[in-house]
Amino acid sequence: MDKSRLTYKDAGVDIDAGSRLVERIGPAVAATQRPEVLAGLGGFGSLFALDTARYQEPVLVAGTDGVGTKLLLAREYGADERIGIDLVAMCVNDVIAQGAEPLFFLDYFACGALDVDQAASVVTGIAQGCRIAGCALIGGETAEMPGMYARGDYDLAGFCVGAVDRAAIIDGSRIAVGDTLIGLGASGPHANGFSLVRRILERADNPAAIELGHGIRLTDALLEPTRIYAAAILALSAALEVRGIAHITGGGLPENVPRMLPEGCVARLFQDRWPCPPVFEWLQATGNVSDEEMLRTFNCGLGMVLVVPRGSAEQALQVLRQNDVDAWQVGRIEAGERGTQIA
């Protein structure tokens, strides 16, 4: 029997690498801090003092998500930092869909063997996403699990908490027939549908060399980080009544828009009212994907769909565009069985 001394590092876990990572990410994390943060990295738990004076009746809104198999493309094409932004966006956009201001974020990074440079790039992206969203990165977990993941592999999960006044919660209950649907432009496929994307890429020779026009490479278009809508939606909510918000993720427009609708309301969308980014046209043509499958798999150019009163549409478009979000009047609410009709 071999009785030589073993260490945790011999088993594949490098505690010193973890310490180096914490040191590396310190400045990026510090740049996300808010006044309410009492204690961040280093403790067993992070402390955040909710400013209750800002609310009549505060309600916490929590969301958790990952980035799916987009992670595989990110690793293949060296987009570790961009995938960190995706992680924040997927969680924050869910929280803001209820009308909540994102307050703080935590991440979970799991790998087979910790590559400090790789992990630092991911967390730098997470911190960048938090700055865009206005929330603090107050903690996280780095799990080194040899045998569970191969060397070079990693996985991500994120957790966001926000707050909203109970009276200001956006839950779709005020949506009425005649209201207007506003579509917010997506930056690309965001972080959904990438299992199909990867199958389609198998049909292409040298995807990294493919250009979609105007100097845009296919791989850059696919890996463009998910747009974070927090600032624009908060500004819009301060300017006018927003009655419903749908974050267009897995399931596309047909599955996500009805999630905000009350009974007796159907969302009628008109596809000719917003532009379809070239990356979706390439995916559909190369994969011979049907229109129905495209709509059920991808956002097809709309990262969010909002409902505002009919007379507020022009003001809503103006506020959104002033906050650097492309937006269009894409449809209306009609009477009918709850669902989405796309023409």
Side-chain angles (χ1 to χ4, degrees), residues 12 14 17-21 109 111-116 118-119 142 144 151:
D14 189 345
S19 298
R20 292 195 300 273
L21 174 62
F109 180 98
C111 60
L114 184 59
D115 180 326
V116 174
Q118 181 188 62
T142 302
E144 199 171 4
R151 182 174 290 272

Side-chain angles (χ1 to χ4, degrees), residues 62-322:
T64 182
D65 211 335
V67 293
T69 58
K70 186 176 184 178
L71 193 55
L72 296 174
L73 282 189
R75 292 207 305 258
E76 182 176 354
Y77 293 103
D80 299 307
E81 186 168 326
R82 282 183 279 179
I83 207 71
I85 301 174
D86 275 299
L87 181 68
V88 175
M90 294 302 289
C91 300
V92 162
N93 287 342
D94 279 348
V95 167
I96 196 70
Q98 307 300 131
E101 176 191 0
L103 298 177
F104 59 84
F105 189 89
L106 298 96
D107 69 279
Y108 175 79
F109 180 98
C111 60
L114 184 59
D115 180 326
V116 174
D117 291 336
Q118 181 188 62
S121 292
V122 173
V123 178
T124 296
I126 292 171
Q128 183 178 345
C130 287
R131 291 197 301 274
I132 295 170
C135 61
L137 178 55
I138 63 172
E141 166 69 2
T142 302
E144 199 171 4
M145 296 186 286
M148 183 73 74
Y149 296 94
R151 182 174 290 272
D153 286 351
Y154 67 88
D155 198 7
L156 291 173
F159 312 87
C160 181
V161 173
V164 61
D165 240 319
R166 182 184 289 271
I169 292 174
I170 298 174
D171 59 5
S173 60
R174 297 189 299 274
I175 292 175
V177 172
D179 286 346
T180 298
L181 295 167
I182 302 292
L184 277 58
S187 56
H190 288 179
N192 294 104
F194 275 84
S195 293
L196 178 56
V197 167
R198 288 167 43 243
R199 286 295 300 274
I200 295 172
L201 288 177
E202 293 173 1
R203 299 186 175 187
D205 294 326
N206 192 13
I210 296 174
E211 291 200 0
L212 301 174
H214 304 288
I216 300 173
R217 292 189 303 176
L218 171 65
T219 50
D220 285 337
L222 291 171
L223 290 166
E224 181 69 22
T226 302
R227 179 162 288 162
I228 296 173
Y229 298 98
I233 297 248
L234 290 172
L236 184 65
S237 297
L240 54 87
E241 181 186 10
V242 180
R243 293 180 171 175
I245 302 178
H247 181 199
I248 310 306
T249 55
L253 293 162
E255 300 295 328
N256 286 290
V257 172
R259 295 169 64 181
M260 67 173 168
L261 299 177
E263 292 293 341
C265 288
V266 59
R268 184 175 294 277
L269 292 162
F270 301 94
Q271 280 189 270
D272 61 355
R273 295 189 181 179
W274 76 89
C276 180
V279 65
F280 295 110
E281 296 175 357
W282 184 91
L283 288 168
Q284 183 169 21
T286 306
N288 192 25
V289 183
S290 69
D291 290 344
E292 180 183 9
E293 189 67 17
M294 288 294 296
L295 288 167
R296 292 182 68 245
T297 305
F298 302 110
N299 64 53
C300 293
L302 297 182
M304 281 193 164
V305 175
L306 316 182
V307 179
V308 299
R310 178 167 43 192
S312 301
E314 287 304 319
Q315 183 185 2
L317 294 176
Q318 182 179 17
V319 171
L320 291 165
R321 291 166 181 167
Q322 287 173 344

